[in-house]
């Protein structure tokens, strides 16, 4: 895609991104008991967090609200908004679908869902969702955006080439809706906090070994080295001052609740719009599961694969490889390498190639 075409696409796409994370019109909820009333309070607090660009806190509040009132469509709608902010587009889509099942007239969820499909690289589904929205809602302003997006996405889809698993890198696959996601130069070195055997709540995790901390450090070193000296990090001792917070869990069901039922780790990345339509990473969180699906603790080799994969996401690789040898292959396969492959390294190098090399003196 030419630079001009890409710029045009980014300009149109930004409208759908804003819509996908903007707050829905105020609605009147009617709680029937104290439990649902508490869910409403949490929803209001979560919306306030989203307005302040604090998606991670909003997620925690909404998870509690959903437990208290599981069939409330506006809670699922807000979860969709929050996951979209965190670039977890598949989860956002699932929440928007659930909101529409519970309230079919909530067509703004369909509009937002189309934007999520677009950013997830599922362009044909994005087109279908925008077309469905136009059939079901007559909002003039959004209708214009949807119509323009359909035309743009059709052009992009027509020019999209099939991914090549044997290409030198998979750079094209890590562009979210045609946009790159990376840490801004002003944020370097990225500040990383690693919890020593503790989960997100600060509880001790079974199966943790002190050497696991070094596995995480090795992963950050590997990716930064792959950037050809253009990306750097430093370890900090206070998670409140960290850009990336790394924690552990031994609870398989915990990641399932986050929607990661077949994953050994979970990376949440929060971004904001940056220059030229790209996205600047603001902060990130990694949760690493120390057990496999059968409940057994991971070997150090398997843990290295998981850690490298999730760290790659937090440093800007928001897509996946289709080569099952690469660390960033889309699922945890036995064929995946325990060290960065040439394709992994070249993809990271291309992501930060416009940055100056960092003087380590």
């Amino acid at each position: 895609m030419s630079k001009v075409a890409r710029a045009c696409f980014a300009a149109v796409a930004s409208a759908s991104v804003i819509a996908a994370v903007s707050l829905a019109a105020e609605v009147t909820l009617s709680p029937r008991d104290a439990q649902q009333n508490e869910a409403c309070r949490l929803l209001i607090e979560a919306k306030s967090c989203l307005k302040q660009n604090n998606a991670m806190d909003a997620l925690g509040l909404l998870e509690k609200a959903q437990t208290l009132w599981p069939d409330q469509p506006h809670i699922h709608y807000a979860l969709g908004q929050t996951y979209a902010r965190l670039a977890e587009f598949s989860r956002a889509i699932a929440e928007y679908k659930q909101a529409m099942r519970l309230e079919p007239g909530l067509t703004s969820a369909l509009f937002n869902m189309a934007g999520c499909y677009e950013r997830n690289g599922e362009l044909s589904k994005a087109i279908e969702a925008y077309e469905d929205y136009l059939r079901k809602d007559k909002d003039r302003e959004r209708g214009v955006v949807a119509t323009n997006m359909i035309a743009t996405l059709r052009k992009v889809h027509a020019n999209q080439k099939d991914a090549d698993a044997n290409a030198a890198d998979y750079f094209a696959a890590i562009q979210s809706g045609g946009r790159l996601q990376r840490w801004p130069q002003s944020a370097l070195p990225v500040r990383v906090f690693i919890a020593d055997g503790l989960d997100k709540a600060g509880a001790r995790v079974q199966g943790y070994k002190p050497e696991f901390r070094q596995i995480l450090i090795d992963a950050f070193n590997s990716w930064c080295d792959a950037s050809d000296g253009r990306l750097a990090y430093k370890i900090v001792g206070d998670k409140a001052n960290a850009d990336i917070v790394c924690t552990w869990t031994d609870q398989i069901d915990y990641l399932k609740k986050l929607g990661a039922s077949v994953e050994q780790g979970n990376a949440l990345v929060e971004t904001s719009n940056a220059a030229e339509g790209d996205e600047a990473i603001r902060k990130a969180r990694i949760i690493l599961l120390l057990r496999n699906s059968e409940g057994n603790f991971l070997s150090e080799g398997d843990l290295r694969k998981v850690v490298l994969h999730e760290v790659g996401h937090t440093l800007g690789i928001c897509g996946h490889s289709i080569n099952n040898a690469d660390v960033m292959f889309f699922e945890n396969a036995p064929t995946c390498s325990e060290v960065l492959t040439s394709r992994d390294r070249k993809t990271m190098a291309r992501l930060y190639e416009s940055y100056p090399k960092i003087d380590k003196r």
Side-chain angles (χ1 to χ4, degrees):
M1 186 185 300
S2 69
K3 290 183 179 179
V4 173
R6 180 183 171 194
C8 292
F9 175 71
V12 178
S14 63
S16 70
V17 172
I18 293 171
V21 297
S22 62
L23 294 173
E26 293 301 320
V27 295
T28 302
L29 304 182
S30 301
R32 296 187 297 271
D33 53 36
Q35 185 168 296
Q36 292 184 356
N37 191 62
E38 173 64 7
C40 288
R41 186 192 70 78
L42 292 168
L43 175 59
I44 292 169
E45 190 176 345
K47 285 188 174 184
S48 177
C49 286
L50 286 178
K51 287 180 180 178
Q52 297 169 22
N53 291 320
N54 194 342
M56 289 187 179
D57 284 353
L59 179 60
L61 293 165
L62 291 168
E63 286 173 341
K64 293 177 183 176
Q66 194 271 334
T67 300
L68 295 171
W69 198 348
D71 59 350
Q72 171 46 248
H74 293 279
I75 292 176
H76 289 283
Y77 184 96
L79 278 166
Q81 294 173 315
T82 304
Y83 278 128
R85 283 278 181 93
L86 295 169
E88 292 286 328
F89 302 116
S90 295
R91 295 175 193 173
I93 290 165
E95 293 296 341
Y96 284 134
K97 285 182 176 179
Q98 181 64 6
M100 290 195 66
R101 289 189 195 100
L102 295 167
E103 188 173 324
L106 195 58
T107 52
S108 57
L110 181 58
F111 181 89
N112 292 355
M113 188 166 62
C116 289
Y117 275 129
E118 170 213 333
R119 299 185 72 195
N120 213 30
E122 300 176 89
L123 302 191
S124 59
K125 290 184 178 180
I127 293 168
E128 291 173 5
Y130 279 125
E131 290 175 337
D132 196 15
Y133 172 79
L134 288 175
R135 287 191 292 268
K136 294 179 178 178
D137 196 302
K138 302 304 178 184
D139 181 272
R140 185 173 181 178
E141 184 177 349
R142 284 186 171 177
V144 171
V145 174
T147 300
N148 289 340
M149 284 305 307
I150 290 169
T152 301
L153 292 174
R154 280 177 176 162
K155 292 178 182 178
V156 175
H157 193 248
N159 294 329
Q160 193 178 57
K161 303 297 184 182
D162 292 334
D164 181 1
N166 297 311
D169 59 51
Y170 46 90
F171 184 72
I174 70 168
Q175 299 181 61
S176 175
R179 294 175 292 278
L180 294 175
Q181 187 180 95
R182 54 193 165 192
W183 289 94
Q185 292 182 48
S186 59
L188 302 179
V190 179
R191 298 166 298 176
V192 178
F193 172 81
I194 301 175
D196 286 328
L198 302 178
D199 64 15
K200 182 183 175 185
R204 184 64 55 185
V205 174
Q206 292 185 12
Y208 177 81
K209 299 178 182 178
E211 51 264 39
F212 290 175
R213 177 184 178 85
Q214 188 60 47
I215 290 177
L216 254 172
I217 292 173
D218 290 345
F220 279 102
N221 288 340
S222 293
W223 282 115
C224 288
D225 180 66
S227 75
D228 195 22
R230 292 174 168 84
L231 180 63
Y233 77 99
K234 65 178 180 180
I235 300 294
V236 296
D238 183 1
K239 68 178 179 181
N241 295 323
D243 301 308
I244 302 176
V245 174
C246 307
T247 58
W248 316 82
T249 184
D250 57 5
Q251 303 297 314
I252 298 175
D253 288 342
Y254 182 75
L255 286 190
K256 286 183 178 180
K257 289 176 183 177
L258 295 178
S261 58
V262 295
E263 299 177 23
Q264 292 296 144
N266 175 247
L268 288 178
V269 180
E270 189 167 346
T271 64
S272 59
N273 290 336
E276 299 180 356
D278 290 337
E279 297 180 4
I281 303 176
R282 297 178 64 246
K283 55 184 174 180
R285 184 189 78 193
I286 298 176
I287 301 175
L288 297 162
L289 176 61
L290 297 181
R291 296 181 187 271
N292 60 24
S293 59
E294 297 176 349
N296 300 317
F297 289 114
L298 294 183
S299 67
E300 287 194 18
D302 285 337
L303 182 61
R304 287 184 186 279
K305 295 179 184 181
V306 175
V307 170
L308 271 171
H309 185 101
E310 301 305 335
V311 169
H313 282 315
T314 65
L315 294 180
I317 299 188
C318 61
H320 290 96
S321 165
I322 60 169
N323 185 318
N324 64 6
D326 293 333
V327 164
M328 298 307 296
F329 184 57
F330 60 80
E331 65 178 350
N332 186 21
T335 52
C336 291
S337 174
E338 291 183 26
V339 297
L340 299 184
T341 64
S342 173
R343 282 165 45 88
D344 291 319
R345 295 179 65 84
K346 288 179 180 177
T347 300
M348 179 59 76
R350 287 190 65 184
L351 180 60
Y352 287 95
E353 65 183 354
S354 63
Y355 285 26
K357 289 194 175 184
I358 297 172
D359 187 351
K360 296 182 179 180
R361 288 180 297 175

